[in-house]
């Protein structure tokens, strides 16, 4: 019975994860290492990696700043509408990324007030970097907040209060007490954000217009290659993203262990 | 330094946690704030530290009003109930925290920290992290950290609440010695009356946000100003009675209370050690039955039920107890040697009087 259960789990993992992964690796290398290298160094692929990296970095920085502020406010302040805000944080998980992208298209379309405003300033939002960042922000927003808020709540206020009685001002309290205490939670939230930002497809597809060498991220490039029957290209870029994801997963695991060990 | 609290009140929403509290802490004093949980004592402490803002009232430190001074500028040492040590810093850096904030020179800082660690018996643990310490050690680190920047006042919130009984006793004695050495004005909050008695120069008793009594441990114990204090501090037998012909009667017990008018409802209180019990039915006039005997280590507590069905607690030291051959359930005789009429709820001290022996007749052997 026990062996059967273990076998079922192995089979489940095999079908869902290990099989596809192994097949992907094989296919990426099917025309040899040179072809693989050629595919991932193509200008379109390089541009895709570059664009994905840029979006990820911007989104990560914004999420770290506003996610931390949001978590601090939700964990430390009592105010009207706090429960409503806490509930809204999970919204991006419930809404399909395609719908998120679509909402942005509607919001910044040429006929809307916002669209006209940015149009008048000659700032291109839709089918450009700003909308892609916004779309990625929308889908990654919950990670830092959701990691940090409970950590801050269990941490309590006593450490911050004792720092204040020892003469620290608010900024010193944050830098010297709060931040070090939640650092692994923050790392955990950051890695989740990075992983999701790199992998985001639907929301970005809708708002980017998928313009070659302009608004085509790595995942969009995979999609495009696949549609154009360039399977080796699709597999090769996918494999790079998977390696990156694996590295992130490792960091995540370390962060999780530290986060639970360090706080006990 | 001297601390003065004037007409302090604090509301949380509709709850009045502290209402119109005034008191002063003298220079160098060790003052205990005693009360059950939710009595407002911790709130008072936090208001003094600047961690809560009062709804009304003033806080003066050294005759200067500090209401508008933020916590970080009040120069107060605060020791939290659960230590609140910085987990990511070693013992040394925990203690040095306040000095770094105040930009002490490195050499002076190292000197101050190592002096404090020696005083606390922690010098061997300087490089440990908080999670590697025992509860008692953490508490001492917390006190060292609070003392490091030379605060004018030391505030301790339930300082020994989170350690086990044996360590608690050691820490109490250690705190008294520390206070004798440093002589820094200190306030500590506790719900443990024994702890308050043992450690404090003076005690303030809180109940439901009100200051019930302030005085030396002996004052508070011997002359409780309110019914609450009488019930809260130590153990006391309390009986309800109506005055008739200058006497408060409870069954066959009669307490002379000539200063009270007839018809007045009073509460008669007496400590267990004022209840004398003998296995010899002829020894005292009043008769009862022994219900329980509790061994307390240093003494015995006896629970007797009088012939009128009133349950009384008595306390006997070991020698007395051994001379009597008690068996649970046996008939005993008893006498009440001293009693007092308790002040009534809402009228602190209104009927205060020293304990007096009911010398006239019924209780004497």
């Amino acid at each position: 019975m026990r062996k059967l259960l273990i076998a079922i789990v192995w089979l489940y993992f095999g079908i869902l994860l290990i099989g596809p992964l192994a097949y992907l690796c094989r296919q990426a290398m099917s025309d040899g290492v040179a072809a693989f290298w050629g595919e991932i160094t193509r200008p379109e692929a390089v541009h895709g990696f570059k664009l994905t990296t840029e979006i990820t970095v911007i989104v990560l920085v914004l999420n770290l700043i506003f996610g931390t502020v949001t978590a601090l406010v939700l964990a430390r302040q009592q105010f009207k509408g706090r429960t409503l805000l806490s509930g809204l944080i999970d919204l991006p998980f419930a809404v399909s990324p395609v719908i998120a992208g679509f909402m942005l298209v509607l919001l910044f379309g040429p006929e809307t007030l916002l669209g006209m405003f940015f149009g008048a300033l000659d700032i291109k939002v839709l089918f450009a970097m700003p909308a892609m960042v916004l779309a990625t922000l929308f889908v990654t927003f919950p990670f830092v907040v959701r990691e940090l808020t409970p950590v801050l709540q269990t941490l309590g206020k006593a450490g911050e209060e004792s720092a204040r009685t020892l003469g620290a001002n608010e900024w010193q309290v944050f830098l010297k007490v709060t931040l070090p205490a939640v650092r692994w939670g923050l790392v955990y939230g950051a890695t989740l954000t990075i992983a999701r930002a790199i992998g985001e497809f639907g929301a970005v597809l809708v708002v980017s217009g998928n313009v070659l060498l302009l608004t085509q991220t790595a995942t969009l490039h995979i999609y495009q290659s696949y549609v154009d029957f360039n399977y080796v290209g699709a597999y090769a870029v996918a494999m790079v993203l998977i390696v990156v994801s694996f590295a992130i997963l490792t960091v995540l695991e370390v962060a999780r262990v530290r986060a639970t060990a360090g706080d006990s | 330094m001297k601390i003065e609290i004037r007409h302090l009140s604090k509301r949380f929403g509709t709850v009045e946690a502290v209402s119109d509290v005034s008191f002063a802490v003298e220079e160098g004093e060790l003052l205990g704030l005693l009360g059950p949980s939710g009595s407002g004592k911790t709130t008072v402490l936090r208001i003094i530290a600047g961690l809560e803002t009062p709804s009304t009232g003033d806080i003066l430190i050294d005759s200067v009003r500090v209401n508008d001074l933020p916590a970080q500028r009040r120069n107060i040492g605060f020791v939290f109930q659960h230590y609140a040590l910085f987990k990511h810093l070693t013992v040394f850096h925990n203690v040095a925290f306040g000095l770094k904030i105040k930009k002490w020179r490195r050499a002076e800082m190292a000197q101050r920290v190592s002096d404090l660690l020696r005083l606390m018996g922690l010098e061997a643990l300087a490089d440990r992290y908080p999670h590697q310490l025992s509860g008692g050690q953490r508490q001492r680190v917390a006190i060292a950290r609070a003392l490091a920047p030379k605060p004018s006042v030391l505030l301790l919130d339930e300082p020994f609440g989170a350690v086990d009984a044996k360590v608690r006793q050691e820490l109490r004695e250690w705190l008294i010695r520390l206070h004798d050495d440093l002589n820094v004005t200190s306030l500590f909050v506790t719900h443990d009356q024994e702890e308050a008695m043992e450690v404090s120069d003076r005690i303030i008793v809180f109940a439901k946000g009100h200051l019930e009594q302030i005085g030396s441990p002996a004052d508070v114990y011997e002359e409780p100003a309110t019914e609450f204090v009488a019930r809260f501090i130590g153990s006391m037998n309390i009986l309800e009675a109506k005055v008739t012909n200058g006497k408060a009667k409870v069954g066959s017990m009669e307490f002379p209370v000539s200063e009270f008018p007839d018809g007045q409802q009073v509460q008669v209180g007496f400590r267990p050690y004022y209840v004398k019990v003998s296995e010899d039915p002829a020894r005292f006039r009043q008769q009862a039955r022994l219900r329980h005997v509790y061994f307390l280590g240093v003494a015995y507590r006896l629970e007797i039920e009088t012939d009128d069905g009133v349950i009384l607690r008595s306390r006997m030291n070991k020698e007395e107890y051994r001379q009597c051959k008690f068996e649970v359930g046996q008939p005993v005789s008893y006498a009440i040697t001293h009693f007092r009429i308790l002040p009534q709820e809402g009228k602190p001290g209104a009927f205060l009087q020293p304990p007096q022996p009911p010398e006239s007749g019924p209780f004497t052997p």
Side-chain angles (χ1 to χ4, degrees):
Chain A
M1 190 60 198
R2 191 174 141 269
K3 279 186 180 165
L4 182 70
L5 282 175
I6 295 173
I8 290 174
V9 172
W10 269 110
L11 195 67
Y12 190 65
F13 269 69
I15 293 173
L16 279 178
L17 297 173
I18 303 167
L21 217 66
Y23 187 73
L24 180 82
C25 293
R26 219 192 65 164
Q27 290 303 308
M29 297 296 178
S30 60
D31 289 353
V33 178
F36 170 81
W37 186 249
E39 281 304 328
I40 61 169
T41 50
R42 284 163 70 113
E44 295 88 345
V46 171
H47 178 266
F49 288 134
K50 193 170 147 264
L51 189 58
T52 294
T53 310
E54 282 168 6
I55 292 174
T56 303
V57 169
I58 295 171
V59 163
L60 179 65
V61 170
L62 289 175
N63 260 329
L64 284 178
I65 295 170
F66 291 104
T68 307
V69 171
T70 308
L72 273 172
V73 169
L74 288 180
R76 293 277 185 270
Q77 310 296 331
Q78 292 296 326
F79 59 95
K80 261 204 177 120
R82 186 177 157 278
T83 331
L84 179 76
L85 282 189
S86 306
L88 280 179
I89 284 169
D90 285 342
L91 189 72
F93 284 156
V95 173
S96 157
V98 177
I99 297 173
F102 192 55
M103 289 193 292
L104 285 177
V105 171
L106 288 180
L107 186 65
F108 290 99
E111 315 84 48
T112 67
L113 265 179
L114 267 176
M116 283 191 271
F117 174 74
F118 285 109
L121 290 175
D122 211 19
I123 296 172
K124 211 163 150 45
V125 177
L126 277 182
F127 312 118
M129 191 72 155
M132 296 167 82
V133 167
L134 280 175
T136 314
L137 263 183
F138 183 90
V139 295
T140 55
F141 171 69
F143 293 118
V144 170
V145 181
R146 279 179 59 94
E147 277 310 314
L148 228 48
T149 311
V151 176
L152 283 168
Q153 271 161 349
T154 34
L155 180 70
K157 287 192 295 187
E160 295 166 7
E161 287 179 338
S162 54
R164 279 165 63 200
T165 61
L166 290 166
N169 61 35
E170 296 304 316
W171 188 236
Q172 288 169 318
V173 169
F174 177 72
L175 285 184
K176 287 173 187 273
V177 177
T178 316
L179 207 54
V182 302
R183 62 193 190 279
W184 288 111
L186 204 60
V187 170
Y188 194 71
T191 25
L192 285 172
T193 304
I194 295 171
R196 184 67 203 268
I198 291 176
E200 182 48 37
F201 173 72
V204 174
L205 177 68
V206 176
V207 298
S208 71
N210 193 16
V211 184
L212 195 65
L213 288 174
L214 213 58
T215 63
Q216 199 176 69
T217 62
T219 47
L220 295 184
H221 176 75
I222 295 170
Y223 167 74
Q224 196 61 51
S225 305
Y226 185 78
V227 171
D228 297 344
F229 304 106
N230 175 10
Y231 292 135
V232 173
Y235 291 143
V237 174
M239 180 139 171
V240 171
L241 290 191
I242 284 204
V243 169
V244 173
S245 301
F246 242 85
I248 290 167
L249 206 69
T250 313
V251 176
L252 200 70
E253 203 49 33
V254 172
R256 201 175 55 78
V257 171
R258 293 285 179 90
T260 42
D263 294 342
S264 62
Chain B
M1 307 227 182
K2 194 177 167 173
I3 307 172
E4 253 185 286
I5 304 299
R6 290 183 189 162
H7 303 294
L8 190 74
S9 294
K10 174 67 178 176
R11 278 180 299 278
F12 292 107
T14 54
V15 182
E16 185 147 67
V18 178
S19 44
D20 196 21
V21 165
S22 301
F23 64 89
V25 192
E26 301 302 327
E27 166 99 51
E29 194 174 23
L30 178 53
L31 190 94
L33 301 180
L34 174 66
S37 55
S39 59
K41 55 197 192 305
T42 296
T43 306
V44 170
L45 205 69
R46 290 174 58 84
I47 290 174
I48 296 172
L51 298 172
E52 303 280 356
T53 45
S55 302
T56 54
D58 291 327
I59 305 110
L60 290 87
I61 298 179
D62 235 14
S63 308
V64 179
R65 187 174 175 276
V66 297
N67 283 42
D68 304 319
L69 219 55
Q72 68 259 30
R73 290 176 51 207
R74 289 197 189 182
N75 195 26
I76 275 173
F78 200 105
V79 178
F80 288 80
Q81 185 176 4
H82 298 288
Y83 325 122
L85 295 179
F86 305 129
K87 288 175 189 146
H88 62 289
L89 298 178
T90 60
V91 168
F92 182 93
H93 286 104
N94 262 282
V95 178
F97 188 91
L99 306 180
K100 268 190 194 152
I101 294 285
K102 293 192 172 151
K103 299 202 164 48
W104 278 39
R105 286 218 193 88
R106 185 173 288 269
E108 286 165 21
M109 184 168 77
Q111 186 61 46
R112 174 78 179 151
V113 174
S114 61
D115 283 352
L116 275 166
L117 290 183
R118 199 175 321 112
L119 184 69
M120 304 286 161
L122 294 165
E123 61 266 65
L125 306 173
D127 297 325
R128 298 265 185 99
Y129 283 90
H131 68 91
Q132 298 168 308
L133 304 178
S134 72
Q137 289 166 340
R138 287 181 207 186
Q139 188 58 278
R140 279 180 285 155
V141 175
I143 294 174
R145 182 179 67 175
L147 286 172
K150 302 191 172 168
S152 54
V153 178
L154 183 64
L155 306 177
L156 306 104
D157 184 10
E158 297 271 4
F160 315 125
V163 289
D164 61 63
K166 191 175 171 296
V167 179
R168 190 152 63 225
Q169 184 57 38
E170 288 170 14
L171 278 171
R172 279 184 203 170
E173 289 163 13
W174 174 82
L175 179 69
I176 297 168
R177 281 201 304 277
L178 183 76
H179 182 261
D180 288 346
D181 288 349
L182 301 179
N183 215 31
V184 57
T185 309
S186 310
L187 263 90
F188 77 102
V189 156
T190 179
H191 64 270
D192 181 339
Q193 36 133 339
E194 265 182 51
E195 187 167 288
M197 294 274 173
E198 189 176 327
V199 178
S200 327
D201 296 328
R202 285 194 303 157
I203 293 177
I204 295 182
V205 185
F206 277 94
K208 293 177 188 157
H210 291 273
L211 192 159
E212 294 280 320
Q213 187 170 6
I214 179 163
S216 70
D219 285 349
V220 172
Y221 188 77
E222 295 297 344
E223 291 174 28
T226 67
E227 184 194 337
F228 174 83
V229 177
R231 286 181 185 273
F232 189 67
I233 309 265
S235 175
M236 193 175 257
N237 294 292
I238 296 174
L239 305 174
E240 299 272 349
K242 200 177 225 174
V243 179
T244 33
N245 298 326
K247 285 186 174 120
K249 285 192 183 183
V250 182
S252 60
M253 292 176 264
E254 288 183 348
F255 302 90
V257 286
S258 50
E259 63 275 41
F260 291 94
D262 277 11
Q264 166 95 48
Q265 197 74 29
V266 294
Q267 286 186 315
V268 183
F270 42 95
R271 300 266 181 215
Y273 51 76
Y274 290 136
V275 180
K276 302 294 173 203
V277 180
S278 171
E279 86 281 19
D280 176 3
R283 175 82 194 282
F284 303 115
R285 246 192 71 187
Q286 301 287 72
Q287 301 301 311
R289 194 175 60 82
L290 185 62
R291 275 171 51 111
H292 281 295
V293 175
Y294 301 93
F295 177 56
L296 305 177
V298 292
Y300 286 87
R301 190 169 85 224
L302 280 61
E303 198 177 279
I304 60 170
E305 185 174 351
T306 70
D307 288 357
D308 315 305
V310 179
I311 309 262
L312 297 177
R313 278 167 296 167
S314 167
R315 190 186 164 99
M316 263 190 180
N317 64 37
K318 275 184 190 166
E319 287 68 31
E320 281 180 300
Y321 182 83
R322 286 198 186 117
Q323 280 164 18
C324 310
K325 299 274 178 288
F326 282 124
E327 265 178 53
V328 172
Q330 78 170 94
V332 292
S333 66
Y334 73 95
I336 298 158
T337 57
H338 290 75
F339 75 96
R340 60 166 50 249
I341 299 300
L342 299 184
Q344 288 184 330
E345 194 70 82
K347 293 184 188 171
F351 298 103
L352 189 66
Q353 56 173 21
Q356 47 183 271
E359 74 304 323
S360 57
F363 301 100
T364 40

